[in-house]
Each structure stands twice: as C-alpha cells, then as structure tokens.
Amino acid sequence: MKINGVNHLALVCRDMGETVKFYTEVLDMPLVKTVALPDGGQHFFFDCGGGACLAFFWWPETPPAAPGIASVRSFPADSKTAVGSMNHIAFSVDEADLEACLQRLQAAGVPAFPMVVNHDDSEMGVARQMHPGVFVRSIYFTDPNGIMMELAAFTRDFGPEDVLHAPAGASRPLGVVA
C-alpha cells in the first residue's frame, strides 16, 4: 500500500452557510464540490491546497459540540481531547506569511491566540524568541464551529536526531528512546 497524501478530512459543522463564508472569505479556500445528502444533510468540500480538501457535513439535527471531549476547550490552557477525537488541523503556510495571517484573522474577528508560537524541544515546548532549535512556527485559532485550527510553517527538515522518544501507551509511562 502506498499512501500519496491526504485526500480530505471530513468534519461536522453547525451552520453550512457560516462555514462556507468563513472558509471561502477568511481562509481563501475555494468551495469546490457540494453534495445534497439523501437524509437531508449536506457535504461540502473546500480546496485546502496540495490536492487535498477539507470537507464538512451538516445535518438538520446533530448532537451539540462537546468542548473538552471532541474538541479543544481552550488553547493552550485546556487543549486535551478524547481518544478518537480530532484535536486540531494544521494547514501549511509560508513562514514569511505568518504575521500577515495572524493580522487577517484578528481583523476578521476570528478567535486566535494573539501571537505566533515558536515550538522547540525545550521543557516548555515553546520559546519567546526564534532560535536554531525552533522546528515549527504556528498560529492557533478556532473556526465558527469551535474547531481548533493551526497555520504552521516548518523551519527546518527533520532527521533521525528528531526521533528521541519511545511511544507511550495505556500501561507504559512516557520514556526516552535508549
């Protein structure tokens, strides 16, 4: 089996009109396909670049959002979600565009973390300033459905030295690869 990339990620929205407006007007993702479902719902696809789509389902009656279970309650203070949930989706952007993206989100009134986050391998996992150990820079925000999103730019290629931790599990504590 050869995976060629992500075809689409399908999420659920509370209001398709609100969702179309946000993704087409704020994030500039073209609406490329709409489907009327036999059960009265809708399934719409947005081009998110690189041949992949972000899709949304909408139904007249759906369970309400479940922050802290199926979605992030509050970033960064309370960002854990349940097993099987989608914590967030990250879209690739050019590093040089991050500040302009943040300004655009803020100008549109989108709930966003107020700064570009520099992720590194320090104990806290983030740094106030850029330095050679920063591997990705990110902007975090939520869409109208409360879904946490990220605009991310890797700052370097990864190598074998970046795989340092043993996988943890339900019966195994966190560890470092020997």
Side-chain angles (χ1 to χ4, degrees):
M1 177 181 340
K2 181 178 183 261
I3 303 297
N4 294 319
V6 173
N7 181 283
H8 71 276
L9 174 65
L11 305 171
V12 177
C13 67
R14 65 178 180 194
D15 181 310
M16 191 62 85
E18 173 185 60
T19 298
V20 168
K21 182 176 173 88
F22 180 80
Y23 284 91
T24 60
E25 294 180 15
V26 177
L27 297 186
D28 289 330
M29 290 184 186
L31 179 62
V32 295
K33 176 67 177 162
T34 63
V35 177
L37 301 172
D39 61 4
Q42 294 182 318
H43 192 34
F44 284 21
F45 293 77
F46 301 87
D47 182 341
C48 63
C53 286
L54 180 63
F56 282 89
F57 283 102
W58 172 87
W59 292 281
E61 296 177 19
T62 57
I69 298 170
S71 62
V72 171
R73 186 181 312 277
S74 174
F75 177 83
D78 189 2
S79 59
K80 291 180 184 169
T81 55
V83 172
S85 68
M86 185 197 75
N87 185 272
H88 70 279
I89 183 168
F91 299 107
S92 291
V93 297
D94 290 335
E95 184 180 2
D97 295 337
L98 283 168
E99 290 292 341
C101 290
L102 180 57
Q103 291 171 3
R104 180 180 177 135
L105 291 168
Q106 291 170 333
V110 175
F113 193 69
M115 61 180 37
V116 176
V117 178
N118 299 311
H119 297 276
D120 66 6
D121 290 323
S122 68
E123 186 176 328
M124 291 300 295
V126 295
R128 289 186 191 271
Q129 304 293 327
M130 273 297 296
H131 63 82
V134 171
F135 60 89
V136 66
R137 302 186 75 214
S138 304
I139 296 170
Y140 293 94
F141 61 100
T142 55
D143 84 342
N145 304 292
I147 299 168
M148 192 163 110
M149 304 278 170
E150 176 184 0
L151 301 177
F154 286 122
T155 60
R156 61 180 176 81
D157 292 332
F158 296 130
E161 68 280 2
D162 289 301
V163 180
L164 300 174
H165 305 87
S171 63
R172 242 178 9 257
L174 299 172
V176 175
V177 174

